[in-house]
Structure formats: C-alpha cells, structure tokens
C-alpha cells in the first residue's frame, strides 16, 4: 500500500485551492537500475478529485509526471469544512484515496 | 382507480422517473470528457490534438503558461497553466522531445477553475506546449525549456 497523500485545501475569497502531494515512483520504463536492467514502467494513469462526493476534475497522466507527484488545483462552490477527496490509480491497477477538510 | 387511469398514472410516473434519471445523470455523472490512452502513445502535438478529437489549433494570449526558461533538473520541472478561455474543458501539457510527448491532461467540471500547477519530467531541451480544449476548439501557448540535466533517466 502506497503512503498517504498530503492534501491541503484552503478556502480563499474567490475559490478553494487544493495542494496535493502523492507518494509514487512514477517509473517511466526507460530508467536503468544499478545493474543496468530496465526498471519496468509503473506510473499513475488517473487522478480524480471530488468535493462532498461531487467530481471537480479528473486527470489522465503519462509516465512523465514527476516522481512523488504534486498538483495544485482550484474550484468554486465549497466552503470551510467541506471534504475534498483525491483518488489515484496506477498502471498496475493499484489505487489510493485520501481526504481532507477545507480549512 | 380504473385500469385506464392507473395505466396513465404509471405512464406519467414512468416519464417522470425517466426525466429524473436524465437530470440526475447530468448532475452526478462523471465529467464526460477525458483523454483516451492512445493520446499518450503518439509522437507529435498534431497527433495528440487528433487523438483528442481536434483537427487544428491556434495560439492564444488567453492562456497564462509559466515554465522555467532553464531547468537545472529535468526530472522535476514546475509548470503552471491558467486558461481565461471561456468553456475550457481540458488543459494538457505536451513536451515535444519527450518519448511520449503528452505528459498530462486535466479535465474540468463547471465548478473547477481552469488552472493547474504540477511538476513534469523533461528529457532534453524542448518546446513545451500548454494545450487547451474549449467548446470552440483547441488553443496553445508555448515555451522553450532548456534542460541541463535530463529527466527521463532518473
């Protein structure tokens, strides 16, 4: 099981800003290990962000998003206390969901 | 209630339930648009646009795209895109010289601000494009990022 995401969601005057740090190797399939063997590709392919169960955005990713991915996004129509949840799924089918309350 | 009126009552109920289902599907369904996986396997911006269902694209000053001119470490290059184009549905980042040019695509609901900040890998000095899909078509803003240490080997 991958490590939890760190999610910070903050309500501003115009919108809520969410910052997410995920824990994932994001292997491209082109990197070689110390013995010269190719490390197989393993990367997040889909990210879905929701607020109180309603989808805000989703993302399709290839292997060239950096290791331990960081994203910041913004949305309207929510207030402090509402719950933001983020789910990722990787190319091996592993998935992880974490949640944070808007502060 | 006789058979006839019962039937018409059920018909009305049926119709109502149908509309309710359509209405709630509209509100609660997933964001309909997304980028098909095949778009990650093509080699050029033109092909990425084609895989996303477009034919042409044009430059737009309504896209704020920040990327560093020089990236010391290609493994983690910060990029930020904000679209002021009405009806923005998707923002994608395309790195021309990467083995898979399409890096990531973000698909927005009506509540989302068409903005993203993330970090990507850039293998060598390359044109980097912020590709925005709206109701009206495809729009781009471009930067050149000079990479002094490649990002795909590590």
């Amino acid at each position: 099981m991958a490590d939890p995401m760190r999610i910070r969601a903050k309500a501003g005057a115009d919108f809520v800003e969410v910052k997410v740090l995920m824990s994932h190797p994001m292997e491209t399939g082109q990197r070689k290990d110390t013995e010269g063997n190719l490390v197989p590709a393993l990367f997040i392919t889909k990210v879905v962000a929701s607020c109180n169960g309603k989808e805000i955005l989703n993302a399709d990713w290839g292997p060239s998003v950096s290791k331990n991915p960081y994203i910041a996004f913004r949305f309207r129509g929510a207030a402090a206390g509402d719950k933001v949840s983020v789910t990722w799924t990787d190319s091996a089918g592993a998935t992880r969901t974490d949640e944070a309350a808007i502060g | 209630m006789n058979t006839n009126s019962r039937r018409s009552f059920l018909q009305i109920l049926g119709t109502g339930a149908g509309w309710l289902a359509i209405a709630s599907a509209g509100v609660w369904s997933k964001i309909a648009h997304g980028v098909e996986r095949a778009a990650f396997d093509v080699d050029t911006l033109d092909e990425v646009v084609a895989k996303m269902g477009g034919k042409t694209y044009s430059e737009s000053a309504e896209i704020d795209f920040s990327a560093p001119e020089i990236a010391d470490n290609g493994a983690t290059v910060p990029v930020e895109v904000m679209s002021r184009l009405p009806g923005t549905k998707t923002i994608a980042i395309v790195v021309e010289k990467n083995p898979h040019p399409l890096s990531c695509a973000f698909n927005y609901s009506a509540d989302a601000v068409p903005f993203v900040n993330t970090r990507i890998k850039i293998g060598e000095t390359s044109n980097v494009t912020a590709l925005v899909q709206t109701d009206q078509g495809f729009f781009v803003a471009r930067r050149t990022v000079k990479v002094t240490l490649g990002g795909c080997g590590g």
Side-chain angles (χ1 to χ4, degrees), chain A:
Chain A
M1 190 73 170
D3 288 337
M5 283 175 254
R6 283 162 58 192
I7 304 174
R8 288 188 72 180
K10 208 163 166 46
D14 289 340
F15 49 75
V16 175
E17 181 158 76
V18 185
K19 294 176 178 177
V20 185
L21 192 59
M22 304 170 191
S23 174
H24 199 283
M26 297 299 287
E27 289 291 353
T28 59
Q30 315 212 0
R31 190 175 72 88
K32 288 182 173 146
D33 65 16
T34 47
E35 276 145 35
N37 304 312
L38 277 179
V39 179
L42 177 64
F43 55 94
I44 293 173
T45 55
K46 192 85 195 180
V47 179
V48 180
S50 305
C51 181
N52 292 342
K54 190 181 172 191
E55 190 172 330
I56 305 159
L57 63 84
N58 68 62
D60 297 292
W61 287 1
S64 66
V65 172
S66 298
K67 176 181 175 176
N68 295 331
Y70 166 82
I71 55 169
F73 60 89
R74 299 168 176 172
F75 70 101
R76 299 191 172 91
D82 288 349
K83 291 264 170 44
V84 173
S85 103
V86 179
T87 298
W88 59 249
T89 306
D90 73 15
S91 52
T95 183
R96 166 144 205 128
T97 299
D98 290 287
E99 194 176 73
I102 298 172

Side-chain angles (χ1 to χ4, degrees), chain B residues 70-128:
Chain B
I70 298 174
D72 288 334
N73 181 2
T76 171
V77 182
V79 290
E80 183 174 288
V81 184
M82 170 82 193
S83 169
R84 280 175 274 113
L85 292 161
T88 294
K89 302 197 297 186
T90 296
I91 294 176
I93 310 279
V94 181
V95 184
E96 201 174 280
K97 294 277 183 67
N98 272 4
H100 301 279
L102 177 58
S103 177
C104 49
F106 295 84
N107 310 299
Y108 298 96
S109 73
D111 283 339
V113 179
F115 162 91
V116 71
N117 182 311
T118 189
R119 297 168 190 159
I120 60 168
K121 297 171 198 163
I122 302 180
E124 59 181 297
T125 298
S126 177
N127 281 329
V128 182

